């Protein structure tokens, strides 16, 4: 089976490419490298002992996409490509809608033209309405996202639902990720954000390795056990394996499915920092500052639907996430730039 991964050179896409290659799939990565390095793919090939096809192109180029789908006889698409920086999306809403929503429309049009109807989409727990009731099941109401990034994910979900309603021969999986974190256990591939990281784990590991001075904890006055925000951190390899299971499941029959990919456990910022310090044996200096606009107090998944329907389960815990994040960061202090020089 041939899988095309839009955004496959990025953080989650590269780990998924590895899992797919190891499971025997042929992989075509379609990425414009706007937020990634081709070095991730070289390492994926080395780790798997197999080669993949890389196409450097933009998903908004519908004709190029259609050509790629046809030329490589693609069976299914996993759609990771998109812009994902929440803060930046509030400054550049049009770029986010154009890239994420416009890019997805272009992809669906190319798939229709090439007669490929099996699609796995990277959505996010950010589409859920803020709630005091945890864990979140797939039936929990969606809300009005607090930023254009989140809105773009919800809009794409609506587009895919409408597409399926009109074309029930499509097979679509919408995966709502909670907080992806960690790295492949080899330490060879991992998260390599451009500039100052927005997300907690890359920030913490860059402090630990000496690239950044101090972590700012955004608020300790939330209604949570220690006052800091609580999230469901899912190991990126568990997440990648979830994509393999979802792609297999939807290849069997048409349908539209929603699955949460999370662990079902929430950890506070302070608990996450302590786990990182314990596992890495490195101090992570921090100070508590004011809340970050748009943040919520707590968010964790009820993953039972995905577990039951996909025969999938997270096998890695918070200590594995921290150990693997640290192995990646300490082996590659400057990320992939270390091997690009
Ligand atoms: P990433 O930035 O590492 O990967 C995205 C990839 O898409 C990059 O390689 C980038 O170069 C590529 N890309 C962007 N725009 C493109 C375009 N127009 N054409 C072709 N390629 C393009 O991000 P990630 O963390 O791997 O996230 C993958 C997906 O999962 C994204 O859609 C993201 O919104 C979603 N997601 C991520 C998180 C998270 O915390 N990492 C959480 C929920 C959902
Ligand atoms: N945090 C800090 N300091 C930092 C970074 C984060 O204290 O420097 C805190 C945040 O306030 C939050 C927690 O750490 O309480 C996690 O923050 P992240 O930025 O790592 O993750 P978010 O939960 O804010 O957002 C992530 C993804 C989004 C996605 C969302 C879904 O970045 O793309 O999960 O829940 F939409």
């Amino acid at each position: 089976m041939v899988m095309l991964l839009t955004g496959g050179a990025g953080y989650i896409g590269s780990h998924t490419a590895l899992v797919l290659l190891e499971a025997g799939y042929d992989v075509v990565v379609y990425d414009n490298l706007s937020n990634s390095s081709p070095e991730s793919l070289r390492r994926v090939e080395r780790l798997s002992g197999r080669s993949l096809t890389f196409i450097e192109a933009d998903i908004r180029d519908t004709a190029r996409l259609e050509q790629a789908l046809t030329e490589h006889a693609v069976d299914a698409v996993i759609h990771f490509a998109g812009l994902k920086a929440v803060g930046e999306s509030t400054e550049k809403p049009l770029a986010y809608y154009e890239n994420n929503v416009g890019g997805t429309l272009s992809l669906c049009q190319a798939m229709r033209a090439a007669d490929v109807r099996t699609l796995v989409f990277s959505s996010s727990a950010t589409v859920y309405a803020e709630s005091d009731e945890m864990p979140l099941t797939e039936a929990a109401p969606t809300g009005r996202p607090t930023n254009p990034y989140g809105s773009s994910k919800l809009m794409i979900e609506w587009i895919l639902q409408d597409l399926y309603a009109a074309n029930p021969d499509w097979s679509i999986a919408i995966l709502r990720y909670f907080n992806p974190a960690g790295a492949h256990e080899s330490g060879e591939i991992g998260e390599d954000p451009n500039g100052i990281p927005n997300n907690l784990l890359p920030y913490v590991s860059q402090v630990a390795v000496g690239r950044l001075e101090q972590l700012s904890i955004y608020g300790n006055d939330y209604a949570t056990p220690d006052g800091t925000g609580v999230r469901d951190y899912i190991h990126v390899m568990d997440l990648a394996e979830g994509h393999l299971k979802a792609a297999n499941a939807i290849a069997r029959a048409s349908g539209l499915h929603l699955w949460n990919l999370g662990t079902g456990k929430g950890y506070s910022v302070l608990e996450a920092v302590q786990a990182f310090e314990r596992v890495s044996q490195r101090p992570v200096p921090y100070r508590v500052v004011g809340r970050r606009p748009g943040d919520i107090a707590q968010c964790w998944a009820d993953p039972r639907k995905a577990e039951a329907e996909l025969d999938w389960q997270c096998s890695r815990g918070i200590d594995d996430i921290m150990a693997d994040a640290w192995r990646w960061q300490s082996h590659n202090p400057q990320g992939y730039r270390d091997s690009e020089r």
Side-chain angles (χ1 to χ4, degrees), residues 14-243:
S14 56
H15 290 78
T16 304
L18 177 58
V19 165
L20 292 171
L21 287 169
E22 285 178 339
Y25 290 86
D26 290 322
V27 172
V28 178
V29 167
Y30 187 102
D31 197 306
N32 67 0
L33 301 180
S34 59
N35 196 37
S36 51
S37 159
E39 176 62 17
S40 67
L41 299 175
R42 287 192 279 275
R43 295 190 186 186
V44 163
E45 289 186 321
R46 206 159 64 217
L47 285 167
S48 64
R50 295 192 54 204
S51 53
L52 53 74
T53 303
F54 173 53
I55 299 169
E56 184 176 347
D58 198 292
I59 53 168
R60 291 163 293 179
D61 185 343
T62 316
R64 183 72 191 89
L65 253 179
E66 185 190 338
Q67 185 198 5
L69 292 166
T70 310
E71 195 175 300
H72 297 284
V74 169
D75 295 293
V77 174
I78 307 186
H79 178 32
F80 297 103
L83 302 178
K84 63 162 185 175
V86 172
E88 185 188 60
S89 79
T90 63
E91 288 150 26
K92 301 179 181 168
L94 295 184
Y96 273 68
Y97 290 124
E98 194 201 345
N99 208 60
N100 295 3
V101 181
T104 303
L105 284 175
S106 165
L107 170 65
C108 293
Q109 280 154 355
M111 287 176 68
R112 185 174 57 188
D115 204 17
V116 180
R117 292 151 208 249
T118 306
L119 174 65
V120 177
F121 171 61
S122 302
S123 190
S124 164
T126 198
V127 300
Y128 288 116
E130 190 167 356
S131 170
D132 292 333
E133 288 201 13
M134 292 293 140
L136 294 163
T137 70
E138 290 81 354
T142 55
R144 169 77 177 88
T146 54
N147 55 77
Y149 165 74
S151 300
S152 76
K153 290 289 169 189
L154 193 52
M155 286 178 190
I156 295 167
E157 290 202 3
W158 291 337
I159 290 168
L160 296 180
Q161 284 163 12
D162 290 343
L163 174 67
Y164 176 70
N167 302 277
D169 55 339
W170 278 61
S171 205
I172 300 174
I174 294 173
L175 304 182
R176 290 180 177 158
Y177 308 163
F178 282 67
N179 288 60
H184 185 255
E185 60 187 7
S186 63
E188 287 286 303
I189 56 172
E191 188 168 10
D192 184 21
N194 270 331
I196 308 283
N198 299 300
N199 296 116
L200 181 65
L201 252 289
Y203 206 108
V204 164
S205 35
Q206 290 194 17
V207 170
V209 85
R211 263 174 83 174
L212 295 168
E213 207 171 310
Q214 190 179 44
L215 171 71
S216 296
I217 293 185
Y218 299 133
N220 63 356
D221 57 352
Y222 286 104
T224 59
D226 64 22
T228 64
V230 172
R231 296 291 185 277
D232 184 341
Y233 296 96
I234 174 171
H235 195 293
V236 65
M237 289 303 292
D238 284 328
L239 188 63
E241 288 164 12
H243 287 74

Side-chain angles (χ1 to χ4, degrees), residues 313-336:
Q313 208 145 25
C314 290
S315 63
R316 300 155 180 96
I318 193 83
D319 284 4
D320 301 307
I321 289 176
M322 301 306 168
D324 294 336
W326 176 238
R327 191 174 302 108
W328 154 251
Q329 188 70 67
S330 52
H331 290 185
N332 306 271
Q334 303 299 323
Y336 294 117

